[in-house]
Amino acid sequence: MAAAVAPALRYSLLQRRPLRCGPGVRAVPGAGAALRPCSSRVAQDGINQPVIDRIIRVDHAGEYGANRIYAGQMAVLGRSSVGPVIQQMWNQEKNHLKKFNELMVAYRVRPTVLLPFWNVAGFVLGAGSALLGKKGAMACTVAVEESISEHYNNQIRTLIEEDPEKYKELLQVIKQFRDEEQEHHDIGLEHDAEATPAYSVLKTAIQLGCKAAIFLSERI
């Protein structure tokens, strides 16, 4: 009984409403749908701008890449039994990207110059993993979301060390998104990601790619 309820409970968690609109009104490359009017830009006094630049730039790039991964998976598996699950995870990633688009405007952060590359690489990774079947797509999800969750945890520690009150909104955003990425990770496991042939090799390769993407997107 408990085993049957767990996947349904995980799936229901995906229905949570996204965070309310934050600061910013202009669009940034990779944002998708137009944004609602939001509050004014964040005051820059006392902000550790280099740290905030790195965090928001890389997170925007990561959410953009995640959107492209799910787009690739849906192109292959959209009509399969796992299509609705992938679509629900993708919908959350769209909300994540929209929020980071707003934060880039609010904190005056430029996007990474690598967005065109992540556009192609993300879709290829998503479609390629989906061509391995449903388990392959879920193995990709587990690998990527595990990397992102760990990355978000590192950022949370950095912001708390800086000033948890000053970066209260940003911490709230990252914590919520970290939790949602972890849910995606768990859903992947529940859908037999570990049964993928050469799972450990595939997971390691994808996570090495994620680490490289994070390193580059923070800096350029």
Side-chain angles (χ1 to χ4, degrees):
M1 178 68 177
V5 171
L9 177 59
R10 291 293 183 192
Y11 189 83
S12 68
L13 288 171
L14 292 174
Q15 309 304 317
R16 294 191 307 180
R17 295 174 63 186
L19 287 171
R20 291 183 178 180
C21 184
V25 293
R26 289 166 40 209
V28 172
L35 302 176
R36 302 187 305 277
C38 305
S39 58
S40 59
R41 291 181 173 180
V42 173
Q44 302 298 299
D45 294 343
I47 295 292
N48 188 336
Q49 197 63 41
V51 169
I52 297 304
D53 282 355
R54 288 198 302 272
I55 286 176
I56 295 179
R57 180 180 303 113
V58 71
D59 289 353
H60 175 266
E63 297 298 350
Y64 181 76
N67 270 267
R68 298 302 295 153
I69 290 171
Y70 284 118
Q73 291 184 349
M74 284 298 291
V76 177
L77 297 173
R79 296 181 181 274
S80 72
S81 61
V82 80
V85 178
I86 296 173
Q87 183 65 58
Q88 286 295 331
M89 293 190 287
W90 188 14
N91 289 343
Q92 277 196 326
E93 299 296 350
K94 291 177 182 178
N95 289 327
H96 295 182
L97 180 58
K98 175 188 274 190
K99 185 62 182 181
F100 276 111
N101 180 66
E102 296 167 2
L103 290 172
M104 291 187 79
V105 175
Y107 286 94
R108 299 176 175 86
V109 177
R110 66 163 179 80
T112 175
V113 300
L114 296 173
L115 280 186
F117 179 77
W118 303 145
N119 176 39
V120 176
F123 188 90
V124 169
L125 175 58
S129 64
L131 288 171
L132 298 175
K134 301 172 188 177
K135 295 175 183 177
M138 290 299 168
C140 176
T141 294
V142 168
V144 171
E145 303 294 20
E146 185 174 282
S147 296
I148 294 176
S149 296
E150 180 181 348
H151 173 65
Y152 277 153
N153 279 331
N154 291 336
Q155 291 184 338
I156 289 167
R157 285 191 288 269
T158 296
L159 292 174
I160 289 175
E161 289 172 1
E162 285 282 331
D163 188 333
E165 188 60 33
K166 184 184 297 180
Y167 303 111
K168 183 177 180 180
E169 180 195 3
L170 189 54
L171 277 166
Q172 178 189 2
V173 170
I174 294 175
K175 286 177 180 178
Q176 178 175 326
F177 290 178
R178 184 269 320 271
D179 292 345
E180 291 171 353
E181 306 294 5
Q182 185 62 46
E183 288 167 14
H184 298 176
H185 168 274
D186 295 347
I187 289 169
L189 291 178
E190 289 162 4
H191 284 80
D192 301 321
E194 293 175 308
T196 306
Y199 170 75
S200 296
V201 175
L202 179 63
K203 180 181 176 184
T204 299
I206 292 173
Q207 291 187 330
L208 285 173
C210 289
K211 289 180 180 179
I214 289 169
F215 179 85
L216 293 171
S217 295
E218 282 181 331
R219 291 161 173 80
I220 59 175

